[in-house]
Amino acid sequence: MQVSSLNEVKIYSLSCGKSLPEWLSDRKKRALQKKDVDVRRRIELIQDFEMPTVCTTIKVSKDGQYILATGTYKPRVRCYDTYQLSLKFERCLDSEVVTFETLSDDYSKIVFLHNDRYIEFHSQSGFYYKTRIPKFGRDFSYHYPSCDLYFVGASSEVYRLNLEQGRYLNPLQTDAAENNVCDINSAHGLFATGTVEGRVECWDPRIRSRVGLLDCALSSVTADSEINSLPTISALKFNGALTMAVGTSTGQVLLYDLRSDQPLLVKDHQYGLPIKSIHFQDSLDLILSADSRIIKMWNKNSVLGPAPRWCSFLDNLTEELEENPESTVYDDYKFVTKKDLENLGLTHLIGSPFLRASMHGFFMDIRLYHKVKLMVNPFAYEEYRKDKIRQKIEETRAQRVQLKKLPKVNKELALKLIEEEEEKQKSTWKKKVKSLPNILTDDRFKVMFENPDFQVDEESEEFRLLNPLVSKLSDKRKKKLRLLEQQEQREKEEEEEPEGKPSDAESSESSDDDKGWVEEVRKQRRLLQQEERGKRQAQLREDQQTVLKPQFYEIKAGEEFRSFKDSATKQKLMNKTLEDRLKLEAKNGTLSVSDTTVGSKQLTFTLKRSEQQKKQQEAEKLHRQERKALRRSAGHLRSRHKRGRPFH
């Protein structure tokens, strides 16, 4: 693995150790070995994790401990142990593998489908059994409840091999000429096969009959896609009980809900290449689809997830690689297209050692590129001279008085922050201290200078008392603000640079007045008191001019008037339900609800005292106070120590 940066974009190369160009000269390779770039910048997560020629299929065991890969040439299978981070075993085979499947949680039971119609079974010790199917197979799936292997291929029949009985069962007859892929839903056991006609047939293994037919070829044709041939089914994958993804040979991926015959989503790879495989990443909520050129990730941003448990140290290693970036191998080479070669007159070098084909262009030595460009372009010096003159002009423009673009809201606050930032830069330049970020450039505070609701109210009491010098400083900023607005208006009308007032003259004005902040606070308080006094007088005059009219209320017969408050409260209670009255009485403390032992409810009411009872209680209280005031103390009868004889 290697980390490189291009246009502030970090690129993680997972195969950096094996991606050195073969056309590099021996001298260049020796130079790279001296720098030790390849060794220092390479991380081998799993030792010998490669295939000599081509890797055709790779799968992970169900327990996540083993990675199995098949390839050619020679046909072989390799098993890697992620706990030991090394190769566990390698077995050579008689023919190339089309696909394979692990029947157990680890590597102890493996089934291989070969391209010569043979099916090969391997156990933990090695080769176990081999059999043959009538037609060439392209894919197979394993049905766990019945121990059946379903094989599809260059035939309209789906062959079934029962591993418990050790014999073939009656095949399933489809309406297709050939079947390309198949899959079994692990939730309810539905078997689906993709045909060359662009259809998906669904079968129920329990009754061995077709339960559904889905036409994906017609649904894959959209307004944005260009299809020149019949879309056949090239990939098929279930996720959960109701979700299915289908890949076509023309580069489309269709996401289905099994309850509907219309796709929920159609994604086009835009390359026109068959979809090789589809995978659901549930932890990141992603759908991954791959063809022979690219891998696409849907529904989420294409970010790397957490490292697997067997290589958790990968997170720390990537951080270390980011801290020490190194130059890549291609820094000494220039990538040119065929059009660039035509402009340079080097098309005759195509096929020679000076040009190395790569992707849609060629790599050539950077020194050769510069020499040829100087020879082809005789006016290179004039262009260089013009560029230098343009740079000098830009430098002189940068030294002029720059017009500050102030926001529409809180202009004075923005000007204050700009001045503080300039002073901070001067101080940090002298002290070489790391400067703090400015809120003007922070996106979190941009609404403060855009939304008028965040305008600072300078007339408020808090603003005037907490900022004693704000009046003097604001006067300076207002002058400067007016100058900047005049400059901006003049630049719009005349398109000329305005002449501003030097900053030294502004800073020198009334520098001694800034020391009298105490007098300024007192002045602001006196002004606030006068304003408050004026408001009170205006309110008093308005109250005096207001004429109050009497309001009359009618009392019902049989009721006694006590106060307006009691009548209003009683009227509200009369309009409420019994439940609301009980809740209000419980809140006031006159009612309590409790549960009895037999499961029923018990209500306790506290009755209000009448006026006569209240008068009697007041009389008793007054009587007790009078008796207490007339009571004589008997403290003088207490004996004193060492004086006289004790009292008996």
Side-chain angles (χ1 to χ4, degrees), residues 606-622:
T606 302
L607 299 178
K608 294 183 179 180
R609 298 183 180 90
S610 61
E611 294 294 333
Q612 185 178 0
Q613 291 177 347
K614 290 182 180 179
K615 290 180 181 179
Q616 184 178 357
Q617 288 181 356
E618 291 292 335
E620 292 177 356
K621 182 178 180 181
L622 183 61

Side-chain angles (χ1 to χ4, degrees), residues 57-73:
T57 309
I58 182 169
K59 292 187 179 182
V60 182
S61 61
K62 295 180 179 62
D63 58 3
Q65 181 178 354
Y66 303 99
I67 301 176
L68 293 98
T70 60
T72 188
Y73 175 80

Side-chain angles (χ1 to χ4, degrees), residues 164-211:
E164 183 180 8
Q165 302 177 15
R167 66 185 183 91
Y168 282 99
L169 304 178
N170 294 330
L172 304 178
Q173 183 64 45
T174 64
D175 295 339
E178 295 178 357
N179 296 280
N180 293 331
V181 292
C182 64
D183 193 20
I184 294 179
N185 194 305
S186 59
H188 44 67
L190 184 67
F191 172 75
T193 175
T195 66
V196 294
E197 290 85 3
R199 297 189 181 94
V200 174
E201 296 188 11
C202 299
W203 294 72
D204 190 348
R206 298 170 298 180
I207 58 178
R208 297 185 300 279
S209 63
R210 191 174 67 187
V211 295

Side-chain angles (χ1 to χ4, degrees), residues 78 101 113 123 160 165-166 277 282 330 395 422 439 488 498 515 563 587 630 647:
R78 287 186 172 183
E101 187 69 37
L113 175 61
S123 63
R160 295 190 301 153
Q165 302 177 15
S277 62
D282 296 330
Y330 301 96
E395 290 177 0
E422 292 176 355
I439 66 173
E488 188 175 4
K515 300 178 182 179
S563 64
K587 184 178 180 181
L630 296 175
F647 179 76

